[in-house]
Amino acid sequence: HHQMTLQYHITRFGEGDRLLVARDITRLKQLEQTRQTFVANASHELRTPLTVIRGYLETFLDQELPKPIMRGLSQMQQQTLRMESLVSDLLLLSRLESSQHVKDEQPVNLPSLLYRIKRDGILLSGTKEHILTLNIASDKDLLGQPNELHSAFSNLVFNAVRYTPEGCEIKIEWRSDASGGHLSVIDNGRGIESHHIPHLTERFYRVDEGRSSETGGTGLGLSIVKHVLARHGAKLEIKSKLGVGSEFICHFPVDMLTDVEIEESEVDN
Ligand code: ADP
């Protein structure tokens, strides 16, 4: 009554001889499924208690209480917010893992999506006063799931804001050519050592554990980016040089591109 999953490997040896090895990975698949369901349920169940705790904390923080208590409450509030974003990233990740490909693809209106992300990036930067620029160098739009793409691109832009020092320049660029569409987030910040790069998209992988937990990230950002891109048939390329800066490029295949739909009010007649 169970479906069986086999993994095949063909090895060539000698003159035209081939060895076919079939491995039964049914059990492995079931375990992976169990893990995914567990993470999804656990993060879902954690949401309600966290909301209740945060609600009470907000009420207490509105009162005039002794200073040490206020300090404690405000610490608790910060940590609750951190836990909430962790839980929502875990939930998002398990949703992304539950199917291989986006289903309801639609034109996403990339300029407006990227404009909103740029604006939020400026807000996040606050007094660090980064210089954010947006360059739409293609008249193509992207087909996809707008919320997922928003999560992916905003993770890249927010990382650029969080991991670069004051006054750095962050460029968001969209271009397309015969090979597809390319969305880049480029910064001139401190860069990443090359041996870290292949691991950046692993869950909870961080270059600098101490500094990262201060920055408010969950450690799941680039893992979410990788999953969202895979579901759109796209790939993430990371280029970085220590002391020079980093570039995160999302490469979308040609079949995810579409002509920009012109709104009727914009048509000249
Ligand atoms: P986090 O929640 O820690 O930001 P991510 O998966 O988004 O998790 O990123 C993983 C790590 O990659 C970060 O902890 C940080 O060390 C590094 N990183 C990501 N983006 C940049 C960047 N633009 N410049 C320097 N380091 C970066």
Side-chain angles (χ1 to χ4, degrees):
H1 55 229
H2 277 307
Q3 220 180 321
M4 190 160 140
T5 314
L6 293 175
Q7 194 177 53
Y8 297 102
H9 266 289
I10 298 171
T11 319
R12 287 160 196 268
F13 62 97
E15 286 177 20
D17 288 333
R18 284 175 181 77
L19 179 70
L20 174 72
V21 180
R23 200 158 72 102
D24 178 4
I25 56 161
T26 316
R27 182 88 189 107
L28 219 67
K29 274 236 153 176
Q30 281 167 359
L31 281 172
E32 176 61 15
Q33 187 63 50
T34 311
R35 184 192 65 79
Q36 276 177 25
T37 316
F38 174 77
V39 174
N41 290 344
S43 25
H44 186 78
E45 291 303 319
L46 283 166
R47 282 216 298 200
T48 316
L50 283 171
T51 313
V52 175
I53 294 171
R54 184 165 49 84
Y56 276 110
L57 286 171
E58 274 159 15
T59 322
F60 294 154
L61 278 163
D62 277 342
Q63 336 243 308
E64 291 283 331
L65 296 165
K67 264 221 170 96
I69 295 183
M70 287 307 247
R71 260 203 304 274
L73 287 174
S74 123
Q75 277 288 325
M76 287 160 83
Q77 189 192 31
Q78 271 173 40
Q79 296 302 323
T80 312
L81 287 173
R82 245 190 94 191
M83 243 196 283
E84 280 186 313
S85 42
L86 197 56
V87 161
S88 85
D89 273 4
L90 276 172
L91 201 57
L92 174 61
L93 204 52
S94 59
R95 285 197 187 124
L96 294 173
E97 278 179 331
S98 67
S99 70
Q100 298 252 305
H101 202 269
V102 278
K103 285 180 192 82
D104 47 348
E105 342 182 317
Q106 45 183 291
V108 293
N109 192 347
L110 213 48
S112 124
L113 183 111
L114 293 175
Y115 176 76
R116 273 185 288 140
I117 294 175
K118 177 191 151 186
R119 197 193 50 198
D120 294 343
I122 293 170
L123 284 178
L124 180 69
S125 165
T127 53
K128 273 170 86 184
E129 296 205 19
H130 288 95
I131 302 153
L132 273 87
T133 57
L134 172 59
N135 179 17
I136 309 278
S138 164
D139 54 2
K140 295 282 179 190
D141 203 347
L142 201 53
L143 283 176
Q145 213 290 314
N147 292 333
E148 288 185 22
L149 290 169
H150 180 272
S151 300
F153 301 157
S154 60
N155 266 308
L156 294 178
V157 173
F158 295 174
N159 274 351
V161 170
R162 289 201 306 250
Y163 297 110
T164 59
E166 191 161 55
C168 274
E169 224 181 296
I170 297 163
K171 290 190 259 184
I172 310 167
E173 275 176 17
W174 169 242
R175 61 194 167 80
S176 65
D177 55 28
S179 71
H182 317 278
L183 185 117
S184 309
V185 178
I186 308 158
D187 70 61
N188 60 355
R190 59 183 152 100
I192 306 159
E193 270 178 287
S194 60
H195 70 271
H196 288 298
I197 292 178
H199 303 289
L200 291 180
T201 56
E202 290 168 14
R203 283 157 214 236
F204 300 115
Y205 187 89
R206 277 156 166 172
V207 171
D208 183 344
E209 192 55 50
R211 207 185 309 204
S212 296
S213 45
E214 282 169 26
T215 59
T218 59
L220 296 171
L222 290 176
S223 185
I224 290 173
V225 174
K226 190 178 109 174
H227 276 86
V228 169
L229 293 187
R231 287 163 55 79
H232 288 79
K235 283 211 156 60
L236 178 66
E237 182 188 2
I238 307 174
K239 296 188 207 166
S240 191
K241 221 173 180 166
L242 210 59
V244 178
S246 313
E247 180 169 1
F248 293 78
I249 316 163
C250 310
H251 296 288
F252 291 87
V254 181
D255 58 4
M256 295 307 270
L257 298 180
T258 176
D259 287 319
V260 171
E261 280 173 28
I262 300 168
E263 304 253 332
E264 217 153 277
S265 58
E266 285 174 9
V267 179
D268 230 352
N269 51 13

